[in-house]
């Protein structure tokens, strides 16, 4: 049923996840970055996209993983999210999820911070591209934390599953 989906994004992809959820962009912040040379190819046509609603009506929940605050959403852009958000981060990956969680209001937002999780825990696993500290939490253990949360959230918000198995995690 492609009319009801869950969407996730890892690292830079978390910005896409937030946009799909309905977060709004701060066009002035993006224009300032363009003017400073921090963003390439800022044509008027491309800038106009940031004034549109980029939310995806099929998305019933989004899961940004290993990403934090981006100035392109401005002070309150995240607050415009229209669907529940499961924000996931790791304690060994300081991406700013804590400040994002503290600043967002009016959104059904759950934050899961995995103790010993590094940036790649949510993609390839802690053992990939990480330093020795990342290897303290084995991939199997990290995935055993991340995967049930994502699956339970998707089952609850996309499928309406309120079984004991799901509500034991989500509830």
């Amino acid at each position: 049923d492609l009319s009801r989906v869950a969407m996730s994004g890892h690292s830079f992809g978390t910005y896409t996840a937030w946009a799909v959820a309905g977060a709004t962009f701060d066009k002035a912040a993006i224009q300032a970055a363009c003017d400073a040379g921090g963003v390439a190819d800022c044509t008027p046509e491309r800038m106009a996209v940031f004034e549109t609603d980029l939310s995806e009506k099929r998305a019933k929940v989004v899961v940004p993983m290993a990403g934090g605050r981006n100035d392109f959403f401005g002070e309150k852009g995240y607050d415009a999210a229209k669907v529940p958000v499961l924000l996931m981060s790791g304690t060994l990956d300081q991406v700013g999820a804590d400040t994002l969680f503290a600043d967002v209001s009016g959104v059904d937002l759950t934050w899961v911070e995995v103790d010993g999780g590094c940036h790649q825990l949510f993609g390839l696993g802690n053992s990939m591209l990480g330093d020795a500290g990342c290897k303290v939490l084995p991939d199997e253990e990290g995935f055993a934390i991340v995967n049930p949360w994502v699956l339970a959230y998707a089952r609850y918000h996309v499928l309406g599953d309120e079984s004991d198995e799901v509500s034991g995690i989500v509830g």
Side-chain angles (χ1 to χ4, degrees):
D1 180 359
L2 296 178
S3 68
R4 300 178 307 159
V5 299
M7 194 271 187
S8 69
H10 176 259
S11 192
F12 194 73
T14 62
Y15 309 126
T16 303
W18 278 101
V20 164
T24 56
F25 288 94
D26 181 341
K27 188 176 174 193
I30 297 169
Q31 187 62 58
C34 289
D35 295 346
V39 178
D41 203 10
C42 300
T43 64
E45 295 81 17
R46 289 184 181 214
M47 291 299 294
V49 170
F50 295 108
E51 295 176 348
T52 64
D53 179 359
L54 297 175
S55 65
E56 172 55 60
K57 66 180 179 183
R58 296 174 296 175
K60 303 306 177 197
V61 65
V62 298
V63 186
M65 301 174 171
R69 176 173 287 288
N70 184 307
D71 291 339
F72 287 176
F73 288 112
E75 284 291 315
K76 296 295 178 185
Y78 288 98
D79 295 344
K82 302 171 185 173
V83 298
V85 177
L86 174 61
L87 176 65
M88 301 192 84
S89 64
T91 58
L92 300 179
D93 184 26
Q94 299 302 310
V95 293
D98 55 340
T99 58
L100 179 59
F101 181 75
D103 292 344
V104 173
S105 63
V107 175
D108 181 354
L109 176 62
T110 300
W111 176 32
V112 174
E113 184 176 51
V114 179
D115 189 30
C118 291
H119 195 72
Q120 285 301 330
L121 170 63
F122 307 98
L124 302 172
N126 263 358
S127 65
M128 301 298 293
L129 308 175
D131 60 23
C134 292
K135 293 174 178 62
V136 172
L137 176 64
D139 292 344
E140 300 79 30
E141 289 180 37
F143 293 151
I145 297 168
V146 173
N147 294 349
W149 269 99
V150 173
L151 183 58
Y153 237 72
R155 285 175 54 182
Y156 183 82
H157 291 287
V158 175
L159 301 177
D161 183 349
E162 296 182 10
S163 66
D164 290 342
E165 178 183 19
V166 169
S167 61
I169 295 173
V170 176

